[in-house]
Amino acid sequence: MRRILTICSFVLASCTVNAPFALAAPGAVRCGKLLDVRSEKMLSDQVVVFDANGTITSAGPAASSSASGASGTIDLSNATCLPGLIDVHTHLTGDPTGNGYQALGISVPREAIIGAKNARRTVYAGFTTVRNVGASGYTDVALRDGIDAGDIEGPRMLVSGPPLGITGGHCDDNLLPFEFHQKAEGVADGPWEARAKVRETVKYGADVIKVCASGGVLSKGDQPGTAQYTFEELQAIAEEAHKLGRKVAAHAHGTQSIKDAIRAGIDSVEHSSLIDDEGIALAKQHGTYLVFDIYNDDFILQEGAKAGMLPESIEKEKKIGRLQRENFRRAFQSGAKMAFGTDAGVYPHGDNARQFAKMVEWGMKPIDAIQAATIRAADLIGWPEKVGALEAGHYADIIAVSGNPLSDVRVLESVKFVIKNGAVVRNDYSAK
Ligand SMILES: [Zn+2]
């Protein structure tokens, strides 16, 4: 392993899939085009230089960079570079095949292995940072730490541990009858029990708190539109989490729960399906991010039954899928803050970028969708100085594609080059 690392640091360009343990190394990338996501400008012939910690030290015109022609500089003259993408709503430890009653046969250790596979797929697809919101047995904490240590390949992760939810709610396990006394790890009823659960998840490694405010699609026996946690409970969770330096992401499809979550001071509303005009106005007033997972509707309706999703789940999706997309457009047009989150795990991991085309179809320009997955997502997760832009001081998380994502956002579905934290994860261009 030491030898692999040594080779990687000298011959960065050739160190691709065979070096799963690669950690940061100094280097530079020369980009034919580079999308400056902040200024919205497509720049020509740029060089991004990074140090041994995998931190960008400079980014600018090749003409003024000493690294331009240096040996070891990776040549991407025919490609377009962008910052590594961010998905703020993933479930890496779950696959679409693990739904409904099929999920009962999957152990916690098995979920961790599934997570290792999906972490690799995700980073290969150009998503170098994810916020994972909901996993059993703290498998997400293990995954995050394993990736950071270089044991396995994957994106930089912020993780929530088990999501908080009410008894019998979206984030409880409701598949088995009473005599099994089955209860999900994150179940907590009442403000004080919920506060204690926040403390417990932080104790075991959570970076962010996930709470299920309303009913959901893939759970048994509830409805997406109905409220689950009360305002009082949500307020207690937000206050406790913020006191401990953690942000809160609330799963909320229902109109009332969305407003309750925003008024309670929660940082992002996930799904946001049935948001109304008052909810959008509240989100703007409070600066709350809205995260609309508008790609996976297609997958649930087409593949959900085969993937073991309950018939009631498919019916629920039929009722809210289109409304969610219409509300996404209304929320965007009214200027609410939006971050890119897909609910990967509901659909196959690695297809995250398919949501860009949906966002464009439903009202965004390509640059808006790309900003949602870079600078806006970085702001939501609290790392605006670290991820989401190719600027000095940021992690060297660089991806490259062929073509121009501003004219065809679908080129992001075929990422060909990925560096995370200064280490090459994938370089399809070097093979030619
Ligand atoms: Zn989710």
mmCIF file of all heavy atoms in Angstrom, residues 89-91 133-134 170 210 251 270-271 293 342-344 346, ligand 1:
data_model
loop_
_atom_site.group_PDB
_atom_site.id
_atom_site.type_symbol
_atom_site.label_atom_id
_atom_site.label_comp_id
_atom_site.label_asym_id
_atom_site.label_seq_id
_atom_site.Cartn_x
_atom_site.Cartn_y
_atom_site.Cartn_z
ATOM 1 N N HIS A 89 -28.844 14.587 -0.337
ATOM 2 C CA HIS A 89 -29.818 13.612 0.188
ATOM 3 C C HIS A 89 -29.577 12.240 -0.437
ATOM 4 O O HIS A 89 -30.103 11.919 -1.505
ATOM 5 C CB HIS A 89 -31.253 14.083 -0.090
ATOM 6 C CG HIS A 89 -32.292 13.288 0.647
ATOM 7 N ND1 HIS A 89 -33.268 13.878 1.424
ATOM 8 C CD2 HIS A 89 -32.501 11.960 0.750
ATOM 9 C CE1 HIS A 89 -34.033 12.933 1.954
ATOM 10 N NE2 HIS A 89 -33.582 11.761 1.553
ATOM 11 N N THR A 90 -28.732 11.461 0.215
ATOM 12 C CA THR A 90 -28.480 10.095 -0.260
ATOM 13 C C THR A 90 -28.713 9.089 0.866
ATOM 14 O O THR A 90 -28.768 9.451 2.047
ATOM 15 C CB THR A 90 -27.021 9.909 -0.737
ATOM 16 O OG1 THR A 90 -26.142 10.038 0.396
ATOM 17 C CG2 THR A 90 -26.635 10.934 -1.804
ATOM 18 N N HIS A 91 -28.840 7.826 0.446
ATOM 19 C CA HIS A 91 -28.880 6.694 1.385
ATOM 20 C C HIS A 91 -27.943 5.629 0.824
ATOM 21 O O HIS A 91 -28.384 4.658 0.196
ATOM 22 C CB HIS A 91 -30.308 6.147 1.511
ATOM 23 C CG HIS A 91 -31.291 7.162 1.994
ATOM 24 N ND1 HIS A 91 -31.419 7.467 3.337
ATOM 25 C CD2 HIS A 91 -32.163 7.962 1.349
ATOM 26 C CE1 HIS A 91 -32.351 8.407 3.477
ATOM 27 N NE2 HIS A 91 -32.812 8.735 2.294
ATOM 28 N N VAL A 133 -28.583 10.987 4.671
ATOM 29 C CA VAL A 133 -29.608 11.309 5.675
ATOM 30 C C VAL A 133 -30.480 10.102 6.009
ATOM 31 O O VAL A 133 -31.607 9.991 5.546
ATOM 32 C CB VAL A 133 -30.462 12.519 5.220
ATOM 33 C CG1 VAL A 133 -29.705 13.822 5.440
ATOM 34 C CG2 VAL A 133 -30.856 12.419 3.751
ATOM 35 N N GLY A 134 -29.916 9.213 6.839
ATOM 36 C CA GLY A 134 -30.687 8.074 7.295
ATOM 37 C C GLY A 134 -30.014 6.762 6.964
ATOM 38 O O GLY A 134 -29.867 6.415 5.798
ATOM 39 N N HIS A 170 -43.037 7.491 9.420
ATOM 40 C CA HIS A 170 -42.257 7.169 8.228
ATOM 41 C C HIS A 170 -40.899 6.571 8.576
ATOM 42 O O HIS A 170 -40.387 5.717 7.851
ATOM 43 C CB HIS A 170 -42.075 8.442 7.384
ATOM 44 C CG HIS A 170 -41.197 8.252 6.193
ATOM 45 N ND1 HIS A 170 -41.515 7.395 5.165
ATOM 46 C CD2 HIS A 170 -39.996 8.803 5.868
ATOM 47 C CE1 HIS A 170 -40.547 7.433 4.255
ATOM 48 N NE2 HIS A 170 -39.628 8.265 4.656
ATOM 49 N N LYS A 210 -31.284 14.088 11.044
ATOM 50 C CA LYS A 210 -32.379 13.889 10.101
ATOM 51 C C LYS A 210 -33.641 13.591 10.894
ATOM 52 O O LYS A 210 -33.618 12.771 11.808
ATOM 53 C CB LYS A 210 -32.057 12.706 9.171
ATOM 54 C CG LYS A 210 -33.247 12.159 8.378
ATOM 55 C CD LYS A 210 -33.537 12.975 7.139
ATOM 56 C CE LYS A 210 -34.731 12.432 6.346
ATOM 57 N NZ LYS A 210 -34.492 11.123 5.736
ATOM 58 N N HIS A 251 -37.366 15.518 6.635
ATOM 59 C CA HIS A 251 -38.208 14.886 5.620
ATOM 60 C C HIS A 251 -39.611 15.452 5.813
ATOM 61 O O HIS A 251 -40.192 15.303 6.890
ATOM 62 C CB HIS A 251 -38.171 13.367 5.845
ATOM 63 C CG HIS A 251 -39.344 12.617 5.292
ATOM 64 N ND1 HIS A 251 -39.243 11.791 4.200
ATOM 65 C CD2 HIS A 251 -40.638 12.571 5.691
ATOM 66 C CE1 HIS A 251 -40.435 11.264 3.951
ATOM 67 N NE2 HIS A 251 -41.300 11.712 4.837
ATOM 68 N N GLU A 270 -36.645 18.428 3.104
ATOM 69 C CA GLU A 270 -36.393 17.415 2.078
ATOM 70 C C GLU A 270 -37.726 16.976 1.468
ATOM 71 O O GLU A 270 -38.711 16.814 2.187
ATOM 72 C CB GLU A 270 -35.698 16.209 2.706
ATOM 73 C CG GLU A 270 -34.542 16.574 3.645
ATOM 74 C CD GLU A 270 -33.357 17.184 2.933
ATOM 75 O OE1 GLU A 270 -32.858 16.555 1.994
ATOM 76 O OE2 GLU A 270 -32.936 18.298 3.324
ATOM 77 N N HIS A 271 -37.743 16.781 0.190
ATOM 78 C CA HIS A 271 -38.905 16.380 -0.632
ATOM 79 C C HIS A 271 -39.794 17.598 -0.961
ATOM 80 O O HIS A 271 -40.010 17.893 -2.113
ATOM 81 C CB HIS A 271 -39.733 15.254 0.006
ATOM 82 C CG HIS A 271 -38.910 14.089 0.452
ATOM 83 N ND1 HIS A 271 -38.177 13.340 -0.430
ATOM 84 C CD2 HIS A 271 -38.658 13.561 1.687
ATOM 85 C CE1 HIS A 271 -37.527 12.401 0.229
ATOM 86 N NE2 HIS A 271 -37.792 12.511 1.511
ATOM 87 N N ASP A 293 -36.437 16.113 -4.566
ATOM 88 C CA ASP A 293 -35.850 14.942 -5.238
ATOM 89 C C ASP A 293 -36.724 14.567 -6.437
ATOM 90 O O ASP A 293 -37.446 13.571 -6.404
ATOM 91 C CB ASP A 293 -35.712 13.775 -4.261
ATOM 92 C CG ASP A 293 -37.014 13.467 -3.519
ATOM 93 O OD1 ASP A 293 -37.809 14.395 -3.277
ATOM 94 O OD2 ASP A 293 -37.241 12.287 -3.186
ATOM 95 N N THR A 342 -31.183 13.945 -4.107
ATOM 96 C CA THR A 342 -31.882 13.023 -5.012
ATOM 97 C C THR A 342 -32.604 11.863 -4.339
ATOM 98 O O THR A 342 -33.422 11.211 -4.966
ATOM 99 C CB THR A 342 -30.880 12.408 -6.006
ATOM 100 O OG1 THR A 342 -29.941 11.610 -5.264
ATOM 101 C CG2 THR A 342 -30.159 13.482 -6.807
ATOM 102 N N ASP A 343 -32.279 11.561 -3.072
ATOM 103 C CA ASP A 343 -32.790 10.346 -2.414
ATOM 104 C C ASP A 343 -32.224 9.086 -3.067
ATOM 105 O O ASP A 343 -32.901 8.052 -3.136
ATOM 106 C CB ASP A 343 -34.331 10.306 -2.413
ATOM 107 C CG ASP A 343 -34.885 9.755 -1.101
ATOM 108 O OD1 ASP A 343 -34.078 9.344 -0.233
ATOM 109 O OD2 ASP A 343 -36.116 9.730 -0.936
ATOM 110 N N ALA A 344 -30.964 9.164 -3.524
ATOM 111 C CA ALA A 344 -30.294 7.992 -4.099
ATOM 112 C C ALA A 344 -30.381 6.830 -3.120
ATOM 113 O O ALA A 344 -30.127 6.976 -1.934
ATOM 114 C CB ALA A 344 -28.833 8.316 -4.398
ATOM 115 N N VAL A 346 -33.285 5.100 -3.333
ATOM 116 C CA VAL A 346 -34.636 4.829 -3.835
ATOM 117 C C VAL A 346 -34.492 4.376 -5.297
ATOM 118 O O VAL A 346 -35.211 3.509 -5.761
ATOM 119 C CB VAL A 346 -35.516 6.094 -3.733
ATOM 120 C CG1 VAL A 346 -36.811 5.938 -4.509
ATOM 121 C CG2 VAL A 346 -35.804 6.411 -2.268
HETATM 122 ZN ZN ZN B 1 -34.513 9.967 1.840
#
